Amino acid sequence: MSATPAALTPTEVAQTASLASHVLKAVAGSERNDALTAIHTHLKANRDAILEANKKDMEAARTQVNAGKLSTSLLNRLDLSKPGKWEDMLDGILQVSALPDPVGNITLATRLDTGLDLYRVTSPIGVLLVIFEARPEVIANIAALALKSGNAVILKGGKESSHSFAAIAAVVSKALATTSIPSGAVQLVESREEVNALLAQDKYIDLVIPRGGNELVRYIKDHTKIPVMGHADGLCAIYLHGDADVEKSIRVVVDAKTDYPSACNAVETLLINKSTLTTLWPQIAKALIDKKVQLLCDPRSLAALESTSLLVASTVPLPKASKDEDYNTEFLDLTLAVKTVDTFDQAITHINTHSSGHTDAILTEDKDLAEDFFRKVDSAGVYWNASTRFADGFRYGFGTEVGISTNKIHARGPVGLEGLMIYKYVMRGSGQVASEFGSGDGKKKFLHEKIAY
């Protein structure tokens, strides 16, 4: 990894990455794995220095939060010392290294004629431009996935993580210097002006992956011709059906909201069937309130709580009436919008109308109803009796992820190695020409026989 020299223009940065990508895709898988091992070793050895740099970013960010200039959710994402976060970052690198080599795999083989075979073979996309806010661990995650998949990458971090970014970048740069990977395969840019110029480099950059809030993603999509893979919001919903198991429901809903509220896979809306208003709902509400979750309730769900002994003057936080916009809001904190629905189909309609297409879940003991939910909800992730927080590349076994895609393209949901691959068609012939084949007299017929691979 190399910080981009000041003398290098954005066009030259993109050109350098493009040239490196041609070399990288031909490098042996063992050499790419050696690079990941080197990154892991160097990061592990420099943990204290990196966390000290992260502490500086955290101190500056807290000042911004106190001044009302930065959100608490962004502060949480910035914190590398959060229990398990550092370890997950390192484990992710090793998991990616241990995955099968995604480059050069045959996914289709067809014999067109004797001595004329067609193969579809996986290949890297080329050059990735990854732009992210806070979350300094993204540097290691993206570098690992890019190198393993044979893609070159240009990275731009947020100003909030500048010290962490620089510290991790320096360590990764030293690690890669000990390997055969070309220096231009991973580059860093620091200014917004550079990013704006890079967004115009559609000749050399093949895919932009923004990782951040709605404003960042919308800006990127509006300012480039390069394909963009990502999501603007994480409006995840859970539907509570009348037959749901109370213990499962409490565990799932509480985890989905409180495990990491500022994550894009945290639940933001709870849809409750009217039959649960006096049974399951009050018990789930109590569990959420005990975890300090602010409930924003529609009239029926609020009235159901007010008619019980659950709410007293000392209840904190006291549930409040919701507003229409709450069902389109990604809170990213301990706030949950609650709405009552009369039927399963009403829940489906609400989700497909308000959801961002990230991850949505149903709580029910009816397998057929869950399967119906899977078919009807148009989201990247659809879950049955499981927390939306599972929507993550590490938890899916991808090692890590470059981000979550809600696009309706080849990569959807948590994007790991597979999502960074495309394919090419390879033909092996023995002098055949297209004019030999056809439906007229004397023309040869294609065999179109499947070949084992």
Side-chain angles (χ1 to χ4, degrees):
M1 175 180 288
S2 60
T4 303
L8 225 57
T9 67
T11 299
E12 290 169 334
V13 170
Q15 288 175 330
T16 300
S18 182
L19 290 172
S21 74
H22 297 310
V23 176
L24 188 59
K25 68 178 61 177
V27 169
S30 59
E31 295 178 78
R32 285 182 268 120
N33 282 342
D34 288 344
L36 299 192
T37 300
I39 291 173
H40 177 272
T41 300
H42 280 69
L43 286 174
K44 188 175 182 179
N46 288 273
R47 177 182 181 277
D48 292 344
I50 292 171
L51 291 183
E52 187 61 32
N54 183 244
K55 186 183 295 184
K56 294 179 182 178
D57 288 329
M58 289 295 293
E59 290 171 354
R62 286 193 187 94
T63 300
Q64 293 289 91
V65 170
N66 293 336
K69 297 180 180 180
L70 194 70
S71 68
T72 302
S73 62
L74 202 64
L75 177 68
N76 291 335
R77 290 177 177 177
L78 179 62
D79 189 3
L80 263 183
S81 65
K82 184 178 183 289
K85 198 169 187 179
W86 174 267
E87 291 75 16
D88 285 349
M89 179 184 74
L90 293 185
D91 287 346
I93 296 171
L94 293 182
Q95 282 198 22
V96 170
S97 178
L99 292 172
D101 189 352
V103 180
N105 296 322
I106 298 171
T107 61
L108 176 147
T110 304
R111 178 150 293 150
L112 306 184
D113 187 33
T114 301
L116 184 64
D117 296 337
L118 177 69
Y119 299 88
R120 187 172 63 204
V121 182
T122 58
S123 62
I125 290 173
V127 177
L128 314 176
L129 172 60
V130 183
I131 304 165
F132 55 93
E133 297 174 335
R135 303 192 68 162
E137 75 276 13
V138 167
I139 303 171
N141 294 345
I142 302 298
L145 285 170
L147 293 173
K148 178 76 176 187
S149 60
N151 290 290
V153 63
I154 302 168
L155 292 164
K156 167 65 173 75
K159 63 180 181 295
E160 301 84 8
S161 59
S162 59
H163 291 95
S164 309
F165 187 88
I168 295 176
V171 171
V172 175
S173 179
K174 290 178 182 178
L176 291 183
T178 67
T179 74
S180 62
I181 300 301
S183 60
V186 185
Q187 298 181 80
L188 311 179
V189 295
E190 298 180 1
S191 71
R192 185 174 181 135
E193 290 72 23
E194 289 177 294
V195 171
N196 288 334
L198 285 169
L199 290 175
Q201 302 300 321
D202 53 304
K203 180 178 179 180
Y204 303 110
I205 297 173
D206 302 293
L207 182 66
V208 182
I209 304 175
R211 290 192 59 166
N214 190 310
E215 185 177 347
L216 170 69
V217 178
R218 295 296 180 196
Y219 180 87
I220 298 300
K221 288 184 175 181
D222 291 342
H223 288 82
T224 189
K225 295 179 181 178
I226 305 168
V228 177
M229 181 169 68
H231 70 281
D233 294 293
L235 287 174
C236 302
I238 294 178
Y239 167 57
L240 177 71
H241 195 59
D243 69 340
D245 178 86
V246 62
E247 291 186 10
K248 290 179 187 176
S249 299
I250 290 174
R251 282 172 51 81
V252 168
V253 175
V254 170
D255 179 86
K257 180 72 263 183
T258 68
D259 178 60
Y260 190 11
S262 59
C264 63
N265 56 15
V267 66
E268 304 290 12
T269 299
L270 177 64
L271 302 172
I272 60 174
N273 189 282
K274 65 179 182 180
S275 64
T276 70
L277 285 171
T278 59
T279 55
L280 296 172
W281 164 231
Q283 297 179 71
I284 293 172
K286 181 181 186 307
L288 289 166
I289 292 171
D290 287 345
K291 291 288 188 177
K292 307 302 180 186
V293 175
Q294 175 65 68
L295 300 175
L296 304 178
C297 303
D298 74 313
R300 285 194 284 179
S301 61
L302 185 58
L305 297 182
E306 291 174 340
S307 67
T308 70
S309 60
L310 174 65
L311 303 184
V312 295
S314 59
T315 300
V316 178
L318 195 66
K320 299 178 181 179
S322 63
K323 301 175 182 178
D324 288 344
E325 59 264 30
D326 292 332
Y327 302 107
N328 294 310
T329 301
E330 185 182 23
F331 300 107
L332 298 174
D333 61 19
L334 289 174
T335 303
L336 182 65
V338 183
K339 184 174 184 177
T340 309
V341 293
D342 293 328
T343 65
F344 168 79
D345 286 335
Q346 277 189 10
I348 298 296
T349 298
H350 179 98
I351 291 172
N352 286 336
T353 301
H354 297 272
S355 169
S356 62
H358 190 299
T359 305
D360 300 290
I362 183 172
L363 296 170
T364 179
E365 292 302 296
D366 187 333
K367 179 180 182 297
D368 291 337
L369 192 70
E371 294 294 337
D372 206 21
F373 183 85
F374 294 160
R375 287 188 293 269
K376 291 181 176 179
V377 171
D378 189 20
S379 295
V382 283
Y383 294 179
W384 173 27
N385 291 345
S387 169
T388 57
R389 286 281 292 129
F390 281 111
D392 174 82
F394 181 80
R395 295 184 174 115
Y396 278 14
F398 299 166
T400 183
E401 65 188 31
V402 295
I404 305 282
S405 172
T406 55
N407 297 355
K408 294 184 180 180
I409 56 174
H410 77 290
R412 206 170 180 217
V415 180
L417 290 177
E418 184 179 347
L420 297 181
M421 307 304 297
I422 51 176
Y423 52 80
K424 63 177 66 174
Y425 285 98
V426 176
M427 185 173 289
R428 294 186 172 94
S430 51
Q432 289 89 344
V433 294
S435 58
E436 291 181 82
F437 299 86
S439 57
D441 291 340
K443 296 289 186 178
K444 298 177 67 174
K445 302 293 185 183
F446 287 109
L447 298 178
H448 289 158
E449 296 174 351
K450 298 302 178 185
I451 305 172
Y453 59 88

